[in-house]
Amino acid sequence: MTPGIPRAAALLGRRLLLLVVLLAGVFAAIELLPGDAASATSDRGETAAGLAARRHLLGLDRPLPERFWDWITALPTGDLGTSARGQHVTDLLSAPFPNTLLLGGAALVLTVLLSLTLGCLAAARPGGPVDRIVDVTATAAFALPEFVVSVGLLLVFSLWTGWLPAATLTGADGGPADWTMLVMPVLALTLPQTGWNTRVVRAALADQAATPHVEAAVLDGLPAHRVLLRHALPGALPAVATGFATSTGMLLGGAVVVETLFNYPGIGTVLAGAVADRDTPVIAGVVACAAAVITVVLLLADLVRARTVGARP
């Protein structure tokens, strides 16, 4: 058996256990909120008897551990339960969640490209003008929350110049009607994470510059770009991959805010409505889908680290 397989299985097991604990926390947190799904989704003027009947219909009169057990044991089959309004949660998320993955995936790809480029440019001349400019700019970008970046983009590219649409219109397929409607939401997610990951790349390359094999390459008179790309960057991959994997969770979390500001047809609107309705299956379904994506990305980052570290002499 390949040595990496047991390690991958152990990592996956720990991630899945963490996911179960997280979902249990979601159920408990919604239970602590004032009101419940029956009262939040009932008609105005509903009688006490009607509310009691609705609570029974939704299973809210059952103990919380029992409701969570029924939900979590059905999860491996792809059954995310039924919403308080009678819709299958899987059907409810089937259209908006791919839109969120498109938004977050585009932002992640752009973040990777920009961070690697800026980090390598800064590391090519340590302490030089480019290094200082990149450091200050990256710090400022990371300090800005997504909603501040979104408002700034709306002011510049929509209200002042009219170059890009302020809101996202939904096409016949349920996604954005035009690619231009993705530009500002993607940038709003990309800029803060690019700031963070540029600093991670720069720091990882600085650590590698002090290693013996990189110092030996410099003493051999190899060109700076070759030393950077062929000797320093491969050794920096574990730290860089971990930074990008961590950004996946931040991108999906920030997408909820960005989608609301740009009227993007993703899970942000669904999640906001579910919280207002105290709709535990929908909220847990959103968390489960997002956590599954993050778990896969983190697992890949762990495998990259294990393979890279294991390949070192």
Side-chain angles (χ1 to χ4, degrees):
M1 181 183 291
T2 305
I5 294 179
R7 177 179 174 83
L11 288 172
L12 182 59
R14 289 199 294 269
R15 303 291 185 196
L16 291 177
L17 179 60
L18 181 61
L19 175 58
V20 172
V21 173
L22 174 64
L23 291 170
V26 170
F27 269 71
I30 300 303
E31 188 74 10
L32 293 175
L33 292 175
D36 59 16
S39 58
T41 59
S42 64
D43 296 328
R44 180 173 296 182
E46 185 76 48
T47 64
L51 283 175
R54 183 162 180 76
R55 287 191 180 95
H56 178 72
L57 179 65
L58 296 175
L60 299 177
D61 54 350
R62 299 163 59 204
L64 178 63
E66 184 180 330
R67 282 184 277 139
F68 175 70
W69 176 256
D70 288 345
W71 187 87
I72 198 70
T73 52
L75 183 60
T77 67
D79 183 6
L80 297 176
T82 304
S83 74
R85 299 185 183 274
Q87 297 173 279
H88 290 293
V89 177
T90 305
D91 297 336
L92 193 63
L93 300 181
S94 61
F97 192 67
N99 291 336
T100 296
L101 288 182
L102 172 63
L103 178 62
L108 181 61
V109 170
L110 190 56
T111 296
V112 170
L113 295 176
L114 290 175
S115 300
L116 287 175
T117 301
L118 293 174
C120 289
L121 286 175
R125 297 282 189 274
V130 174
D131 188 15
R132 293 196 296 271
I133 292 172
V134 169
D135 180 61
V136 172
T137 305
T139 302
F142 176 61
L144 293 174
E146 286 85 357
F147 75 89
V148 173
V149 178
S150 299
V151 171
L153 292 172
L154 282 168
L155 287 174
V156 174
F157 295 107
S158 183
L159 296 181
W160 293 349
T161 64
W163 291 345
L164 295 170
T168 306
L169 301 179
T170 305
D173 59 352
D178 190 79
W179 69 268
T180 58
M181 298 174 183
L182 273 169
V183 175
M184 286 196 291
V186 168
L187 287 177
L189 291 174
T190 299
L191 293 178
Q193 293 309 310
T194 296
W196 161 255
N197 283 285
T198 297
R199 293 180 61 84
V200 171
V201 172
R202 177 67 184 89
L205 291 174
D207 290 340
Q208 288 298 307
T211 57
H213 73 282
V214 174
E215 291 179 342
V218 173
L219 292 175
D220 287 342
L222 296 178
H225 70 276
R226 185 173 180 181
V227 173
L228 183 68
L229 298 178
R230 297 289 297 274
H231 297 274
L233 187 58
L237 279 180
V240 171
T242 301
F244 289 142
T246 304
S247 287
T248 304
M250 296 181 179
L251 287 171
L252 290 178
V256 175
V257 176
V258 171
E259 288 173 356
T260 302
L261 287 172
F262 290 100
N263 193 38
Y264 186 85
I267 60 173
T269 303
V270 176
L271 185 59
V275 172
D277 289 345
R278 308 293 189 265
D279 202 338
T280 304
V282 177
I283 298 172
V286 171
V287 172
C289 292
V293 174
I294 296 170
T295 298
V296 171
V297 175
L298 288 174
L299 179 61
L300 291 175
D302 288 336
L303 293 177
V304 167
R305 177 200 273 124
R307 185 175 181 85
T308 304
V309 173
R312 290 180 183 175

